Amino acid sequence: DAGVTQSPTHLIKTRGQQVTLRCSPKSGHDTVSWYQQALGQGPQFIFQYYEEEERQRGNFPDRFSGHQFPNYSSELNVNALLLGDSALYLCASSAQTGYSTDTQYFGPGTRLTVL
Amino acid sequence: DAKTTQPPSMDCAEGRAANLPCNHSTISGNEYVYWYRQIHSQGPQYIIHGLKNNETNEMASLIITEDRKSSTLILPHATLRDTAVYYCIAHLTDSWGKLQFGAGTQVVVTP
């Protein structure tokens, strides 16, 4: 059973560019959450997708957007990249059970470097 | 979600039990205590979670005090591969899943 997968593993971009990161959830999971982890800090919640809609968002600007596809996979898009966007981007998947969200399982992350 | 407090670092000898404390004095009755760990530059790995009762799985044991204001994660026989940052999170599972990570505890297992 494959766990959460993310692509690419590493990415280098320059300021002002746009980037798309991809995530495939664990089998049987229908909810995807994205986190940003700057060096030396804990992961910070960006947003969560369920039923192809963003249903919760952290304190991130509109430059950060996402999408969830019918097969539950997800993309994170970041526009107008800033140097401060350099971070490890983590995807976590979980299953929705009634009104509760079960345990989140994380992927290996995508390391984004903005020059 | 309630805020948690953990020591910034701790050392443990290989083969000994590692006891990682976490304070969550403002935890509400329906918030679970979750533990994750993160080995350098990898994604966080789920370890265990519990509400009131003590829990044990193949990785660790979780001891929650009766008043639920603190908990301890126990790694029974630490190995070098257990060196990681350990995060304790108080989490409301019907809050749609936003996990609030703190700084965690850097655990170093030494030979």
Side-chain angles (χ1 to χ4, degrees), chain A residues 48-62:
Chain A
Q48 183 180 82
Y49 276 83
Y50 172 67
E51 291 188 338
E52 302 180 47
E53 291 190 359
E54 180 186 300
R55 68 173 180 182
Q56 192 176 22
R57 189 179 183 94
N59 188 25
F60 280 81
D62 291 344

Side-chain angles (χ1 to χ4, degrees), chain B residues 16-43:
Chain B
R16 304 293 293 270
N19 297 302
L20 283 62
C22 178
N23 286 321
H24 30 79
S25 58
T26 61
I27 196 168
S28 64
N30 52 356
E31 282 184 297
Y32 284 74
V33 178
Y34 274 79
W35 284 84
Y36 285 82
R37 73 180 182 184
Q38 188 172 26
I39 297 169
H40 183 62
S41 293
Q42 297 181 21

Side-chain angles (χ1 to χ4, degrees), chain A residues 35 37 41-43 45 48 55-56 90 99-101 103-108 111, chain B residues 34 36 38 41-44 46 49 87 91 93-99 101-102:
Chain A
Y35 293 79
Q37 185 174 25
Q41 299 181 21
F45 177 79
Q48 183 180 82
R55 68 173 180 182
Q56 192 176 22
L90 297 159
Y99 291 105
S100 298
T101 301
T103 300
Q104 294 185 35
Y105 293 87
F106 285 80
R111 172 70 63 186
Chain B
Y34 274 79
Y36 285 82
Q38 188 172 26
S41 293
Q42 297 181 21
Y46 166 75
H49 74 282
Y87 296 99
H91 179 56
T93 56
D94 59 359
S95 68
W96 291 347
K98 171 184 175 181
L99 291 173
F101 288 82

Side-chain angles (χ1 to χ4, degrees), chain A residues 6 67 70:
Chain A
Q6 293 187 243
H67 188 79

Side-chain angles (χ1 to χ4, degrees), chain B residues 65-83:
Chain B
T65 58
E66 192 169 342
D67 63 8
R68 301 189 71 242
K69 292 181 185 249
S70 66
S71 60
T72 300
L73 179 75
I74 301 172
L75 307 177
H77 304 287
T79 71
L80 298 180
R81 288 173 295 181
D82 292 323
T83 292

